[in-house]
Amino acid sequence: QEHPISLEHSVACKLMTSSRMLRIYAAWLASLYAIEVRSARIATGSVPAKIMDLSAFKHEVVHELHAAAAAIEAATAPDDILIFLGQSPAYVQTAMTCTRNNSLLIAGSGMSKLNKKELSSLPKQELKAYCEYLSATAGTKDVDLAAAAEENRIVAVDLSETGNSVTFFAKMLRHCYPSLKQPVKFVNLAIDTKGALTGFAPDPNLVRVVKVLVLRHAGALAWDEVPRLVPSWKLEQWSADGPDNSSIAQDKLAADFNDAVQEQCGTGEEDNGVLVIAPSDPADLKSMRSEFDHTLCDAW
């Protein structure tokens, strides 16, 4: 389902040429987007008014998920460990399992807010528990995260509008695996709206963006318009046993949506609804934002 301001975005891409007007439009768009999402979440209590229809999901979204997985496959090495952070990229991770066994789906809510705090100020017991959870989750796939960290083979995947969550996750990885010395490689899933990266500012010393994947349905995946595959799991709930997945396991609709992705393993990705953008300089966030806007306008 298209973002409701995609039409304005398309018109603006064609008509606005001056850098000043582009900046004004980006700020206006970002404010509209923030108001819209905030209003929706307030009105629904972070629960969508309507889950996307399963038939629409099968015909409009699933091929896009497999195309995104194929793009991630092309952008990473076979021995890279792919860590999908939370609900936003969860269905892409399902598609990823068609070709890769070394992809992990990780829970952890509220990391964006946690990034505003010093790691040393957070409760040590919960931080230790999260490290144990990461290790245990990796163990279910026979993945050695400590070795992957030391060899800089970890790639995080998420939809990040600010960069806060992935920056905090990178801090957690360094806390859990001190041998990690390089910035964590990151694939960012983005909505198909000009200005979507206006507020994107991860710490370049901790995070290096290798690809930005623009998905037509990234918003629907991120804003709970599909059944959740990952439960909410905040700092005060962190334990070595991981989150309580009982509500997910008992959700037949979630299973149906997840099965719909797996059923199309190996299918083609023509007309895939995914745009791959490679930043020319991952450390230059200003250029990255500009490249995103211009590439999106030129392509879509």
Side-chain angles (χ1 to χ4, degrees):
Q1 128 183 10
E2 292 225 359
H3 197 275
I5 50 180
S6 289
L7 176 60
E8 287 89 335
H9 144 242
S10 299
V11 173
C13 284
K14 292 180 175 64
L15 298 183
M16 290 192 175
T17 55
S18 75
S19 59
R20 179 173 180 273
M21 288 301 290
L22 285 172
R23 288 196 300 271
I24 292 172
Y25 175 70
W28 169 77
L29 182 61
S31 65
L32 267 186
Y33 160 75
I35 291 170
E36 178 189 346
V37 173
R38 183 166 59 251
S39 298
R41 287 173 176 167
I42 291 173
T44 64
S46 295
V47 178
K50 182 179 180 181
I51 294 290
M52 180 183 289
D53 178 76
L54 179 59
S55 177
F57 179 76
K58 287 182 177 180
H59 291 96
E60 299 174 17
V61 185
V62 170
H63 63 94
E64 187 176 313
L65 300 171
H66 286 285
I72 295 171
E73 177 81 14
T76 58
D79 62 345
D80 281 339
I81 307 304
L82 311 178
I83 301 183
F84 292 76
L85 308 180
Q87 175 61 28
S88 296
Y91 284 95
V92 178
Q93 193 270 342
T94 298
M96 200 80 235
T97 60
C98 294
T99 57
R100 295 274 283 264
N101 187 52
N102 54 352
S103 68
L104 309 174
L105 183 57
I106 296 294
S109 307
M111 288 190 177
S112 184
K113 290 184 178 179
L114 292 176
N115 191 50
K116 299 175 183 178
K117 302 179 180 180
E118 293 294 330
L119 205 62
S120 59
S121 71
L122 300 178
K124 292 181 174 58
Q125 182 175 344
E126 279 76 7
L127 296 182
K128 179 183 178 182
Y130 195 83
C131 292
E132 293 172 352
Y133 160 70
L134 284 178
S135 179
T137 302
T140 63
K141 296 283 188 76
D142 293 323
V143 166
D144 186 344
L145 268 186
E150 185 173 3
E151 297 164 8
N152 193 31
R153 292 188 289 105
I154 294 178
V155 181
V157 183
D158 195 9
L159 188 155
S160 180
E161 300 161 284
T162 64
N164 285 325
S165 291
V166 67
T167 297
F168 181 80
F169 183 72
K171 292 177 183 177
M172 280 301 304
L173 281 177
R174 290 196 175 197
H175 174 74
C176 299
Y177 304 103
S179 61
L180 176 62
K181 304 298 183 184
Q182 301 295 321
V184 174
K185 291 176 282 189
F186 181 50
V187 175
N188 194 11
L189 311 181
I191 61 174
D192 64 333
T193 302
K194 185 171 179 290
L197 297 189
T198 297
F200 182 65
D203 185 338
N205 294 314
L206 297 173
V207 177
R208 182 172 69 86
V209 180
V210 293
K211 286 288 188 295
V212 177
L213 304 186
V214 187
L215 277 65
R216 291 287 191 189
H217 293 87
L221 297 170
W223 302 326
D224 283 358
E225 293 178 29
V226 292
R228 292 189 67 90
L229 299 181
V230 181
S232 175
W233 194 46
K234 297 184 177 180
L235 173 69
E236 56 271 18
Q237 301 169 309
W238 288 357
S239 71
D241 295 331
D244 179 2
N245 287 298
S246 59
S247 61
I248 306 295
Q250 296 168 12
D251 187 343
K252 184 181 183 304
L253 192 59
D256 289 343
F257 272 66
N258 202 45
D259 288 346
V261 180
Q262 294 178 328
E263 287 166 3
Q264 292 193 32
C265 282
T267 58
E269 291 91 24
E270 298 83 7
D271 190 25
N272 53 46
V274 174
L275 177 64
V276 181
I277 302 175
S280 59
D281 182 357
D284 188 340
L285 296 175
K286 183 177 180 181
S287 293
M288 185 186 304
R289 299 184 193 107
S290 177
E291 289 170 355
F292 173 86
D293 288 343
H294 285 109
T295 304
L296 181 62
C297 284
D298 291 343
W300 286 354

